[in-house]
Amino acid sequence: MKRRGSGLAAAVLAGVVFIAGTAAAGAETEVTQVRLGIHPGAVRVVVEASAELRISAFVLVRPYRVVLDMPEVRWRLPLAAGRGGKGFVAGYRFGQFVPGRARMVFDLKGPAVIAKSFTLAPSKGRPWRFVLDLKRATAAEARARAGRPAAVTAARRRPPLARSPKKPRYRQIVVVIDPGHGGIDPGTTGRRKRVFEKHITLAMARRLKRELDNGGRYKTVLTRTRDVFVRLRDRIARARGSGADLFISLHADFMADSRIRGASVYTLSERASDKEAAALAAKENKADLIAGMDLSANSKQVTDILIDLAQRETMNHSVRFARILVDEMRKSTRFLRKSHRFAGFAVLKAPDVPSVLLEMGYLSNAEDEARLIQPRYRARLAKAIARAIDRYFHARGKAAGR
Ligand SMILES: [Zn+2]
């Protein structure tokens, strides 16, 4: 069934954040509908499109998911599509995965396998259809058939993990801004389910970049400039590859208790400062999992290197910047009672780049949500963050005798 947002709400949002219908450049084929049907012990998934879809489908375990990879498409699905499931399919997500490729991820309530998949050509007024029959299975069966996502991932250049060459003495300060989530991973959603964290973070990142570029003092780099999925470790790699002096990851949170509001700043620590901080880190670290990546193969090695290299000095700088950031933002933004906390965020693990993660507010809170979708509020926030960055580097420059 198609459900569209009310025209007014959509119009208000259209100028503020991008909505799920945003098309990727160059994509011709439109995905127009996704239907789920229950059969005994099975769920049929039908994806309707304007042209033939060359889909590759595979099962993943821990958690149980079915992934559909396809060339880039235009999503013509209602914003709320995928939020409800049927049978053992809990729901689904869709979006761009890497440039040129799109992905759908169906979350399963238990182990299942793909029993059948086929394409139907248009007939009797029906468009192209891709049909996937999922069948309940044992955990062992699902595991045995679990696909390797590497086979469908586009090869990408990765900057080496080795220390970057010595930086020249006089150069622009490089600030890397990391808009949280993106593409297949929407992050959290607003109360009215129309605002996605990934859009807020990107809009905010762009505004902050504009603010910093104005002065000419900084070179700013965004880890993503559009609605695309970027792996956590690629975000770190991008920061290090561009010789970042500071890394700011932007996010917005969601709480079951809609009264809770306010911003908070996080820095890296292997030991979380409290339970909430630990839970939040766990949630943000799941971004790769959400996109259907299998990290188990090489995450151990990467983690070890990163922890080894996590220098105390970098952490101290991160903490110093976090304090200044809270101080500057306080002038225009409400904060949680514990405004600065520590936890093991994967995205903050660049060993030689001072890094903070800023949760700008709660999309679950009406006031925070209303503010974050306003360009005017984001401009104010950007100015406060820019002031904090100025202060931080001013102090560092003095300390270094520059
Ligand atoms: Zn987030």
Side-chain angles (χ1 to χ4, degrees), residues 180-181 187 197 250-252 284 359:
H181 312 280
E197 179 183 359
L250 299 171
H251 290 261
E284 299 292 11
E359 292 281 352

Side-chain angles (χ1 to χ4, degrees), residues 180-181 185 187-188 197 201 250-253 280 283-284 357 359:
H181 312 280
D185 165 27
T188 61
E197 179 183 359
T201 59
L250 299 171
H251 290 261
D253 202 4
L280 179 66
K283 197 159 77 180
E284 299 292 11
L357 185 141
E359 292 281 352

Side-chain angles (χ1 to χ4, degrees), residues 239-250:
R240 301 190 70 248
S242 55
D245 296 289
L246 185 65
F247 177 87
I248 306 174
S249 190
L250 299 171

